[in-house]
Amino acid sequence: MKKAMLSTLLVLSTACSTDKIDKTETSSAMPVETSTSTVITKDEAVNKKKLLITEQDKKTQNTAYSYRLNDQKFTSNAKVLVKGSSVSSPIMSESGVLKGSFVVIITTAKTESLSTHYKVNKIAKNTYRLIPIKNQTDLYNLYSNLLKNSELSRVEIEIDYSRDSTAQSY
């Protein structure tokens, strides 16, 4: 049994070890490898450049911006929020579309200061819907400015969570 194991070990150890390198093979193969690697390097540079451009495009397409709206965190792929921008709430697992208007509760009965920048519609007592006069304005900046207004006790941006109906109507 010991002789069989020793002979197996001897055969395996001699079969796996070759310490000698044939110098004639390496010297004749060297120029071929060098010229081939130069061509591959040029191709790799072009491929890396294409890959880098593709990766940058993917990053810009998948960039999510975080916003604090209506006391909740929302994300959007849009850098500037305008009417029709899609936003999603990770907490509620819901996505919606910005309607482009705000609902505010006014502590005073004065709406004159708001009517210069917004179309003001009364919804209920001390509650108004503000629609910006300028179309395609940055809604997040307007929202932030309304939050800073001391005459307003509550400010919310309107988000439409309804989905398009696929049901047929008669």
Side-chain angles (χ1 to χ4, degrees), residues 28-44:
S28 66
M30 192 61 141
V32 174
E33 287 180 7
T34 305
S35 64
T36 305
S37 67
T38 305
V39 173
I40 291 172
T41 305
K42 289 179 183 177
D43 289 342
E44 284 179 356

Side-chain angles (χ1 to χ4, degrees), residues 2 18 28 32 75 86-87 92 95 99 111 118 124 138 140 159:
K2 288 184 181 181
T18 55
S28 66
V32 174
T75 58
S86 178
V87 293
M92 296 186 332
S95 61
K99 293 177 75 174
T111 61
Y118 301 96
D138 185 0
Y140 189 71
I159 303 171

